[in-house]
């Protein structure tokens, strides 16, 4: 039975091994094969070759890494050619059938092709130099980038552009997958900063001097002066900068930003000849940031020994790609160790797709699938180690953690670092290690770089754009106005224009530090005022390059174009006919509205009644006949207006009420006097139209200027029926329509921009602005979206405002006459109840509280006074209380004392006498009750 089980076990193991699957985790091969694809003659390739060989030696000499297993590499030269790279890969995958991973290639274009092979054969492809962002997509699951993604480099470039306030850039790039995908990423990052690529200038991968010259000439004719150079070929990049220098494109107005190809060239072949360095003075470039560490210093210190004898020209230095190449080998070694620890076995199986392609000279069916590829890929992505480049760990997106770049300024015979960029906190002069100890802060206020020396040896920040030097002129649209020609008008018989708007434009243009060739093109038929909205829309269709004139800045127009800073403030107002309001015998009633007079009179009476109630029981001044008491109430209340009351107050409650009321009277009196003074000393105008609210609530016709935005605002925003709106062309039309009025075929009012209205009213005193300005707007010059000229013109307009030139131009064309300067105004607003309801409310509350407290005190006295009078009906008690109210306080006190004395004397007699006395007292009390009833009748008759 034992023999049978032993034979079964042998057969089972034989079947497993014959199928290329090993499950024994303790079995490790002595050698693991890894392929390396390089381009020996490139700056990256020659450095990476030495770094990888050094890493292999260090890994194999360290028994703690792979527990005795060594890594055997096979290097192949792709000659930086996509086709040759594919062929080389297929050849060594065919010959080296047990290759478990591939390191390389350097070129992103080749990486795209080799990734297809890597995916098919399930062999991880680790590249320290293929930085194309699209290689991280789901299309290439077996591609692992062991350096920084270009997505972060483009984010750093976009941060720099935004930091210096530039809005448009030109992208100069190699026209292949690497260049195109990098520029797409740059465009996305710039869009997030509200910037954009205004012009893309692709170059052939094998561009000649003539090709580059043609591209640069086209670039020089564009407005933007911010040029981004993105290529992996340092030779091509140096050709671009050399030709740019020869073409005069390294002057002070240009900005050149090179991706990390330039820093790699400077690191590898430094020092470069002075004539070469002269080609890129002032250029900004990026370099992948590698933190300082003991491991890095150790590797750098032995670099010279490593390069000896490695090349005929052994002067090349270490660059960042060499550091990442060194770490890539260590990363792979740790991943292979984890692969074996998890039971991974190096075994291969045939690809069913390739076996169908047998025959011919290509033996593709010899290529095998790595069965442990998925496990090894997982192990690679789970590595967490420290290398010469710092912490090595992958994010869920398969990118290295803590992406960071140095911002370098090329100057003199070398370069200097002006700051850092991190995905954590953006631009900073602090090292990333310091930033990681602080909370992330990417706010614009936190961004900082040291001063840069720009092309042309200047520290002044370049504007970033200039007017193109292609000989063309700006076509600027100008409205042909038929009215209010003080703002803009065409000179008869010429193509020239003048007016307030034209003077502002030309004066601002003269402040620009560069020349702007332009031609003014009339817009409109000359019979009606043209629509400013249509003029603005002509910019979007390419008819005009800009538009100047009396163009109001509205929401709809800002969606089409960019406007400059407003050079005149304005807004919609209502103009109506007004009549002079002369003083008359009843002018003293004008300060208060009728409701205000009514409420004030009522409160005079209320206060008088309240004080009378509080005082009449104790104060003889408030007693007497009913007619006298009524007169006292009227006299006392209204005499408080002049503080002339002769009656003294003895109650503290009445004094409290009177103090508050005198304060109210003081405020009312002061307000009345101020308003009456204004009415009698300032000429007043009256109009049935009080403002835009009056027009909205009425059905009267409304006039507006032909071509103005007032029509659309009245219809769309205020929902006024279009049938009520009448277009008017000239000031004369305004005058006639307003004089005719709504009853005679005219209009009740005109709604127009304040700038026009002030000019209209300067010679027409019978009209005036009524109500408040109900929109806030301004006039500006219109330019295409994101036009840098709009920004520069805005700065120029602000300078004109600050130095007083803008006001001088205004006074020249729009000086008001005496009619609008005489101070005439619409009727002063009358004092209304809503302005004083707080005072009246305070007084009313005081009166209520005083009466409330007074009656509580009085009720307690009543209960105390009648507690011994026996029980009585509710009606009788009610009558007694009102009779109690009518009595003097002194009478009540005397009666109360007399009752107390009688009670004491009654207790001293015998029962008979007591009985007899009770009879007499009952008769006496009866007569007193009869007297009280008589008083009650007199009181109720009053």
């Amino acid at each position: 039975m034992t023999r049978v089980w032993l034979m079964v076990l042998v057969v089972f193991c034989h079947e497993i091994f014959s199928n290329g699957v090993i499950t024994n985790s303790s079995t490790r091969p002595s050698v693991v094969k890894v392929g390396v694809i390089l381009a020996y003659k490139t700056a990256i390739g020659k450095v990476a070759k030495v770094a990888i060989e050094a890493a292999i030696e260090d890994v194999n000499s360290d028994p703690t890494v792979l527990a005795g297993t060594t890594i055997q590499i096979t290097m192949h030269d792709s000659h930086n050619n996509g086709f040759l790279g594919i062929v080389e890969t297929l050849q060594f995958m065919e010959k080296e059938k047990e290759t478990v991973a591939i390191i390389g290639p350097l070129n992103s274009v080749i990486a795209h092709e080799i990734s297809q092979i890597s995916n098919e054969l399930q062999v991880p492809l680790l590249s320290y130099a293929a930085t194309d962002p699209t290689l991280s997509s789901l299309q290439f699951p077996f591609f692992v980038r062991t350096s920084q993604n270009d997505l972060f480099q483009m984010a750093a470039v976009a941060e720099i552009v935004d930091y210096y306030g530039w809005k448009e850039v030109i992208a100069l790039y190699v026209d292949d997958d690497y260049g195109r995908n990098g520029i797409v990423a740059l465009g996305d990052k710039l869009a997030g900063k509200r910037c954009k690529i205004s012009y893309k200038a692709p170059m052939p991968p094998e561009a000649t001097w003539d090709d580059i010259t043609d591209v640069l000439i086209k670039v020089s004719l564009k407005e933007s002066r911010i040029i981004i150079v993105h290529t992996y070929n340092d030779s091509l990049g140096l050709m671009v900068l050399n030709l740019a220098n020869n073409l005069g494109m390294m002057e002070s107005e240009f900005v050149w930003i090179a991706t990390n190809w330039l820093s790699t060239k400077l690191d590898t072949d430094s020092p470069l000849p002075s004539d070469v360095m002269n080609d890129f003075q002032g250029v900004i470039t990026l370099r992948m940031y590698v933190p300082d560490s003991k491991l890095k210093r150790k590797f750098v210190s032995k670099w010279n020994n490593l390069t000896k004898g490695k090349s005929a020209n052994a002067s090349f230095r270490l660059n960042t790609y060499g550091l990442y190449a060194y770490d890539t080998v260590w990363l792979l070694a740790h991943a292979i160790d984890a692969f074996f620890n998890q039971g991974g076995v190096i075994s291969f199986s045939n690809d069913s797709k390739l076996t169908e392609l047998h025959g011919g000279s290509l033996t593709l069916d010899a290529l095998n699938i790595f069965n442990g590829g998925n496990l090894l890929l997982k192990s690679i992505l789970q590595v967490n180690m420290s290398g010469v480049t710092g912490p090595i760990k992958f994010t869920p997106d398969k990118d290295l953690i803590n992406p960071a770049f140095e911002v370098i300024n090329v100057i003199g015979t070398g370069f200097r670092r002006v700051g850092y960029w991190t995905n954590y906190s953006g631009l900073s002069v602090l090292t990333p290690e310091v930033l990681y100890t602080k909370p992330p802060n990417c706010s614009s206020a936190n961004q900082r770089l040291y001063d840069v020396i720009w092309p042309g040896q200047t520290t002044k920040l370049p504007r970033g754009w200039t007017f193109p030097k292609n000989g063309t002129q700006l076509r600027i649209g100008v409205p042909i106005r038929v009215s209010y020609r003080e703002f803009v008008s065409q000179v008869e018989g010429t193509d020239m224009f003048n007016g307030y708007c034209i003077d502002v434009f030309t004066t601002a243009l003269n402040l620009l530090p560069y020349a702007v060739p332009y031609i003014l093109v009339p817009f409109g038929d000359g019979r009606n005022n043209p629509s400013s909205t249509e003029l603005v829309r002509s910019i979007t269709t390419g008819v005009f390059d800009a538009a100047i004139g009396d163009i109001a800045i509205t929401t709809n127009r800002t969606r089409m174009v960019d406007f400059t800073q407003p050079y005149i403030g304005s807004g919609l107002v209502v103009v109506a006919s007004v009549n002079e309001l002369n003083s008359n015998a009843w002018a003293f009633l004008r300060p208060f509205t009728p409701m205000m007079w009514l409420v004030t009179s009522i409160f005079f009476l209320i206060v008088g009644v309240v004080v009378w109630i509080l005082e009449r029981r104790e104060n003889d001044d408030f007693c007497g006949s009913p007619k006298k008491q009524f007169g006292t109430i009227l006299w006392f209340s209204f005499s408080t207006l002049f503080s002339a009351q002769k009656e003294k107050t003895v109650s503290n409650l009445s004094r409290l009420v009177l103090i508050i009321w005198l304060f109210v009277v003081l405020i009312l009196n002061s307000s009345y006097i101020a308003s009456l003074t204004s009415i009698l000393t300032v000429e007043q105008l009256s109009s049935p139209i009080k403002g835009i609210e009056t027009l909205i609530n009425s059905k009267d016709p409304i006039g507006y200027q032909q071509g103005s935005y007032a029509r659309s605002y009245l219809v769309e925003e205020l929902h006024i029926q279009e049938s009520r709106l009448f277009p008017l062309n000239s000031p004369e039309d305004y005058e006639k329509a307003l004089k005719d009025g709504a009853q005679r075929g005219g209009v009740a009012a005109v709604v127009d921009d304040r700038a026009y209205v002030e000019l209209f009213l300067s010679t027409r005193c019978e009209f005036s602005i009524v109500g408040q300005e109900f929109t806030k707007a301004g006039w500006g010059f219109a330019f295409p979206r994101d036009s840098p000229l709009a920004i520069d013109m805005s700065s120029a307009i602000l300078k004109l405002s600050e130095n007083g030139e803008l006001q001088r131009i205004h006074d020249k064309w729009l000086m008001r006459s005496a009619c609008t300067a005489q101070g005439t105004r619409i009727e002063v607003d009358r004092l209304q109840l809503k302005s004083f309801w707080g005072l009246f409310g305070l007084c009313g509350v005081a009166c209520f509280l005083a009466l409330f407290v007074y009656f509580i005190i009085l009720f307690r006295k009543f209960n105390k006074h009648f507690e011994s009078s026996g029980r009585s009906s509710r009606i009788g008690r009610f009558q007694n209380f009102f009779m109690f109210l009518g009595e003097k306080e002194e009478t009540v006190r005397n009666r109360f004392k007399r009752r107390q004395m009688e009670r004491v004397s009654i207790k001293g007699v015998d029962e008979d006498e007591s009985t007899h006395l009770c009879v007499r007292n009952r008769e006496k009390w009866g007569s007193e009750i009869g007297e009280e009833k008589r008083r009650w009748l007199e009181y109720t008759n009053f």
Side-chain angles (χ1 to χ4, degrees), residues 589-601 830-831:
L589 294 176
R590 288 186 195 168
F592 287 167
T593 62
M595 180 59 69
M596 182 68 181
W597 281 115
L598 177 63
V599 172
T600 303
S601 301
R830 305 172 74 181
L831 299 176

Side-chain angles (χ1 to χ4, degrees), residues 36 140 185 249 258 262 302-303 386 428 468 506 546 561 579 664 681 685 711 730 792 903:
V36 180
F140 308 109
M249 298 176 66
L262 181 56
K302 68 177 184 178
W303 178 255
S386 293
S428 177
T506 55
V561 297
N579 299 315
V664 174
T681 57
L685 300 176
R711 179 184 181 280
S730 65
D792 287 354
R903 289 175 183 171

Side-chain angles (χ1 to χ4, degrees), residues 603-614 633 636-637 851:
F603 263 85
F604 270 108
L605 295 176
I606 289 175
V607 171
V609 171
V610 170
V611 172
W612 173 75
I613 293 174
L614 297 175
I633 292 173
F636 183 85
S637 60
L851 290 176

Side-chain angles (χ1 to χ4, degrees), residues 122-139:
Q122 298 184 13
V123 176
L125 176 64
L126 291 79
S127 179
Y128 51 87
T131 55
D132 182 354
T134 61
L135 287 169
S136 298
S137 64
L138 298 176
Q139 182 183 1

Side-chain angles (χ1 to χ4, degrees), residues 465-533:
W465 84 282
T466 190
F467 197 83
K469 301 177 181 179
N470 55 8
T472 60
Q473 294 180 318
L474 282 180
R475 288 176 53 84
I476 301 178
V478 183
I480 305 177
R481 294 199 57 86
V482 297
S483 62
Y484 300 111
R485 295 169 59 84
E486 293 87 348
F487 293 104
V488 57
S489 63
Q490 187 173 14
V491 180
E492 293 289 341
T494 68
D495 57 355
M496 300 175 61
F497 290 82
N498 59 20
Y500 170 72
C501 301
I502 302 299
D503 276 10
V504 172
F505 174 74
T506 55
T507 307
L509 207 62
N510 291 334
L511 294 179
L512 300 184
Y514 50 89
V516 180
Y518 66 92
I519 180 174
L520 300 181
V521 182
F523 177 79
D525 57 12
R527 295 185 299 273
N528 295 291
N529 290 326
S531 169
S532 296
T533 301

Side-chain angles (χ1 to χ4, degrees), residues 157-169:
V157 173
E159 289 272 10
I160 293 172
V161 172
D162 181 62
Y163 173 75
Y164 290 113
W166 302 315
K167 293 301 179 183
E168 295 185 2
V169 303

